[in-house]
Amino acid sequence: MFDCLVRLVGDFSYFYLIGNQSIVLGTNWLARVGGGIEVDLSDRWVPWVSTTRLMVSYYESDTVNGFAAGIGIIF
């Protein structure tokens, strides 16, 4: 993409919640799975930005589920 290095990124997390966190969400666990792309911009457009990442994640537990999308920039 635009002669830049592109990487596929994967993410999996499992959280065991204790104390007030489990009371607020109504569950003891939360799992997340997601993926995205990462573009190396170290010698392009903005000289002080080295990498940009676009991610999409899905969260699930007994009582909570949903999607999240985000962008990350490494300086």
Side-chain angles (χ1 to χ4, degrees):
M1 184 165 106
F2 307 114
D3 287 333
C4 297
L5 181 63
V6 177
R7 298 177 197 96
L8 295 177
V9 181
D11 178 37
F12 175 78
S13 300
Y14 179 82
F15 305 95
Y16 182 74
L17 306 169
I18 58 174
N20 292 337
Q21 295 174 344
S22 64
I23 293 170
V24 169
L25 292 177
T27 185
N28 290 333
W29 64 275
L30 181 65
R32 175 179 72 190
V33 63
I37 60 169
E38 183 175 272
V39 180
D40 186 358
L41 299 173
S42 56
D43 26 317
R44 300 280 181 216
W45 303 303
V46 182
W48 37 271
V49 173
S50 64
T51 307
T52 301
R53 179 183 291 184
L54 300 171
M55 294 286 294
V56 176
S57 300
Y58 175 73
Y59 291 83
E60 172 128 9
S61 73
D62 292 332
T63 59
V64 177
N65 63 2
F67 289 94
I71 183 170
I73 298 172
I74 299 173
F75 296 94

